[in-house]
Structure formats: C-alpha cells, structure tokens
C-alpha cells in the first residue's frame, strides 16, 4: 500500500507535485501549530509596507482546517492539476506554471480591487485565503 502511494506521488508532474506537497506541508504545520495562519493571510498593508511578499504565495497554499473538505480539495488539486499538466499542457510545464501564476494574479487583483469598492469592500475584506478559488479555477479550465 505504501509503495503504491509512493509510486503515485513519484509519477505526478513537477508543478502538481510541488503544489500538492506545499499545501499539505503548510496545512499540517498549521494544524500542529508550528505555523500560524496569521503569518500567511492576505494583508495588502503588510505586503507593501513591511515587504512580507510570502503572503502572496501562502494565500494559495492554506486550506484552513484539516478535515473532509481539505481532503476533497487535495483530491481535486491532485487530479485536475495533474490532468491539466499532463494533457492540456503536455510538454509545456512553463506554460502551465504561467497559467497558474496568471490565475493567482487575477484572483488576487479581484480581491484587492473589490476591497476598494464601496458597498463591496466588506464582502471582499473577508476573503483572506484564495486556495479554494485557485483549485476551482483548475476545475473549470478546459482540458
């Protein structure tokens, strides 16, 4: 059984394996209270004034609690990210990485711009992690 999981993991494409591993490590670290979610959430002031640029990455890695919802997101991430990388972007790993970076940039921009619009800012201010959104973006990509 352990060898089957190891083979499955080794056969994953590079970007998918990296994203899945980083997400699991971050969430386990937060569950064990090694890492604090308060050091990872989207806070434009801390990014710009205090140069905490890691927040622009960690908002896509943290899925909150380690529960059934987390397991479903990891399944979707592993399955659909792998399908995109192996089929739609076969032999074009860099293009797949650019697609993820573009999607992450658009999602971040929507949240930041939405936070500046009156009447909408209260709704957008509650969006501090975008990992679920990036996973759903991969689900809806044509492939």
């Amino acid at each position: 059984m352990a060898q089957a999981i190891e083979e499955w993991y080794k056969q994953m494409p590079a970007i998918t394996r990296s994203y899945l591993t980083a997400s699991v490590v971050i969430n386990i670290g937060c569950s064990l209270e090694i890492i604090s979610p308060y050091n990872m959430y989207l806070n434009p002031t801390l990014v710009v004034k205090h140069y905490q640029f890691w927040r622009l990455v960690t908002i896509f890695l943290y899925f909150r609690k380690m529960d059934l919802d987390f397991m479903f997101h990891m399944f979707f991430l592993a399955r659909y990210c792998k399908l995109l990388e192996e089929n739609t972007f076969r032999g074009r790993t860099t293009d797949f990485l650019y697609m993820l970076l573009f999607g992450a940039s658009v999602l971040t921009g929507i949240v930041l711009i939405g936070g500046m619009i009156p009447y909408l800012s209260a709704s957008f201010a509650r969006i501090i992690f975008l990992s679920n959104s990036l996973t759903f973006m991969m689900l809806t990509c044509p492939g």
Side-chain angles (χ1 to χ4, degrees):
M1 175 73 176
Q3 192 168 6
I5 293 172
E6 183 180 349
E7 283 299 315
W8 170 79
Y9 182 76
K10 285 181 179 178
Q11 291 176 354
M12 251 185 227
I15 304 294
T16 303
R17 185 174 47 236
S18 301
Y19 188 34
L20 182 69
T21 303
S23 296
V24 169
V25 166
I26 290 287
N27 283 279
I28 289 173
C30 288
S31 293
L32 296 175
E33 297 181 1
I34 297 169
I35 305 168
S36 173
Y38 295 110
N39 291 328
M40 296 185 299
Y41 75 97
L42 181 60
N43 185 332
T45 306
L46 293 175
V47 171
V48 174
K49 291 186 178 178
H50 296 277
Y51 308 109
Q52 296 182 2
F53 297 117
W54 67 84
R55 291 177 185 273
L56 297 174
V57 174
T58 56
I59 59 173
F60 296 103
L61 299 175
Y62 182 59
F63 287 85
R64 293 191 174 86
K65 295 186 291 187
M66 297 269 300
D67 57 1
L68 187 60
D69 184 53
F70 172 76
M71 297 306 290
F72 276 116
H73 279 288
M74 291 301 102
F75 171 76
F76 290 138
L77 187 134
R79 176 154 171 77
Y80 291 101
C81 193
K82 180 181 177 184
L83 284 174
L84 278 171
E85 192 170 357
E86 286 183 341
N87 296 333
T88 307
F89 292 95
R90 177 178 290 284
R92 299 179 302 147
T93 304
T94 310
D95 291 345
F96 180 65
L97 179 63
Y98 287 145
M99 190 258 326
L100 284 178
L101 292 173
F102 178 76
S105 301
V106 168
L107 289 169
T108 305
I110 289 170
V111 170
L112 293 177
I113 291 169
M116 294 186 283
I117 299 172
Y119 304 112
L120 289 177
S121 60
S123 299
F124 280 96
R126 288 183 291 207
I127 302 173
I128 57 175
F129 291 105
L130 296 169
S131 48
N132 294 341
S133 302
L134 190 63
T135 302
F136 285 125
M137 180 199 81
M138 286 185 277
L139 283 170
T140 59
C141 282

